[in-house]
Amino acid sequence: NAGVTQTPKFQVLKTGQSMTLQCAQDMNHEYMSWYRQDPGMGLRLIHYSVGAGITDQGEVPNGYNVSRSTTEDFPLRLLSAAPSQTSVYFCASSYGTGGNSGANVLTFGAGSRLTVL
Amino acid sequence: AQSVSQHNHHVILSEAASLELGCNYSYGGTVNLFWYVQYPGQHLQLLLKYFSGDPLVKGIKGFEAEFIKSKFSFNLRKPSVQWSDTAEYFCAVNAGYSSYKLIFGSGTRLLVRP
């Protein structure tokens, strides 16, 4: 059982380049999300999805796009990278979106470290 | 908007010392509260959570946390830390019965000296 798989683990970009961080989960989780982790700021929610075809913005969505065409995959796209997007990115998922779904525990990926020069 | 404050950014303890990490949140309604931990080189994982019932919750590895609604707090405690508890600890909250926005605090780096 692989859990949440993120690729790539490391990436260096130049300002203005675009790229996609991949996230896949094999647990049939309905809920998926992307966070960025910066020193002294904890994890901040970028975008999230409660099922295929449904996405919504988190705390810091600007500069990022997402889509959810399948239950398993939730890619994060940087359209025009900026140095302020240098960070460690985490994908996380959880089962179910009914009831007190806010109590569901997140399963995290290993993270993707992105540097924008 | 809801927010989470962790008061201690860095904590250094000797083994066997007691630990208490503070966490306060700002939201007046029903909340779900979590502590996640990130050990060096490992994924973030759940330490414990509160969503209803007994406000004193117990987690893995001897950790516990108490939800005090009147103080909007969810402090993490452990009576005797070990070197293996060295990690970064994150408090998180989501507001409301079906809220999907899990908001994290800034984290506390704990270093336990042997």
Side-chain angles (χ1 to χ4, degrees):
Chain A
N1 211 356
V4 177
T5 302
Q6 290 183 234
T7 56
K9 286 187 169 44
F10 302 93
Q11 183 72 49
V12 179
L13 291 177
K14 294 181 180 178
T15 296
Q17 287 185 316
S18 63
M19 78 156 299
T20 299
L21 298 177
Q22 302 291 346
C23 176
Q25 52 88 11
D26 61 358
M27 298 170 285
N28 203 30
H29 283 177
E30 291 184 278
Y31 177 80
M32 296 185 74
S33 56
W34 276 102
Y35 285 87
R36 58 177 289 173
Q37 183 181 19
D38 301 290
M41 303 189 75
L43 286 85
R44 291 180 291 169
L45 182 63
I46 304 172
H47 285 285
Y48 64 95
S49 168
V50 299
I54 306 169
T55 63
D56 206 345
Q57 296 181 348
E59 302 170 90
V60 289
N62 292 342
Y64 307 94
N65 275 2
V66 291
S67 60
R68 185 95 179 269
S69 56
T70 67
T71 300
E72 294 78 20
D73 300 298
F74 191 45
L76 179 72
R77 297 183 186 83
L78 283 71
L79 302 176
S80 178
S84 61
Q85 294 177 303
T86 293
S87 187
V88 180
Y89 291 85
F90 288 97
C91 181
S93 70
S94 68
Y95 69 89
T97 52
N100 188 9
S101 52
N104 293 341
V105 176
L106 291 175
T107 299
F108 282 86
S112 297
R113 185 176 293 273
L114 175 66
T115 302
V116 183
L117 304 175
Chain B
Q2 64 199 74
S3 64
V4 180
S5 298
Q6 292 184 240
H7 316 297
N8 314 99
H9 297 293
H10 293 91
V11 173
I12 301 174
L13 295 173
S14 298
E15 275 194 317
S18 63
L19 171 72
E20 180 160 4
L21 301 182
C23 173
N24 287 89
Y25 64 93
S26 63
Y27 184 74
T30 302
V31 292
N32 297 299
L33 299 160
F34 304 79
W35 277 96
Y36 280 85
V37 61
Q38 188 174 29
Y39 296 104
Q42 295 189 26
H43 299 199
L44 275 146
Q45 59 186 279
L46 180 74
L47 204 54
L48 47 80
K49 71 175 185 180
Y50 169 83
F51 59 98
S52 67
D54 189 343
L56 183 63
V57 293
K58 296 189 184 299
I60 60 172
K61 302 187 180 184
F63 285 90
E64 65 178 31
E66 185 175 13
F67 170 47
I68 304 179
K69 190 173 182 179
S70 60
K71 295 185 177 179
F72 299 92
S73 71
F74 191 55
N75 292 354
L76 181 71
R77 299 194 293 251
K78 185 172 184 178
S80 177
V81 295
Q82 300 173 318
W83 174 78
S84 58
D85 293 325
T86 293
E88 189 160 17
Y89 294 81
F90 295 94
C91 182
V93 59
N94 64 17
Y97 188 70
S98 60
S99 170
Y100 300 108
K101 291 187 178 181
L102 186 63
I103 305 300
F104 283 80
S106 57
T108 298
R109 285 186 181 270
L110 171 66
L111 173 63
V112 180
R113 291 181 169 155

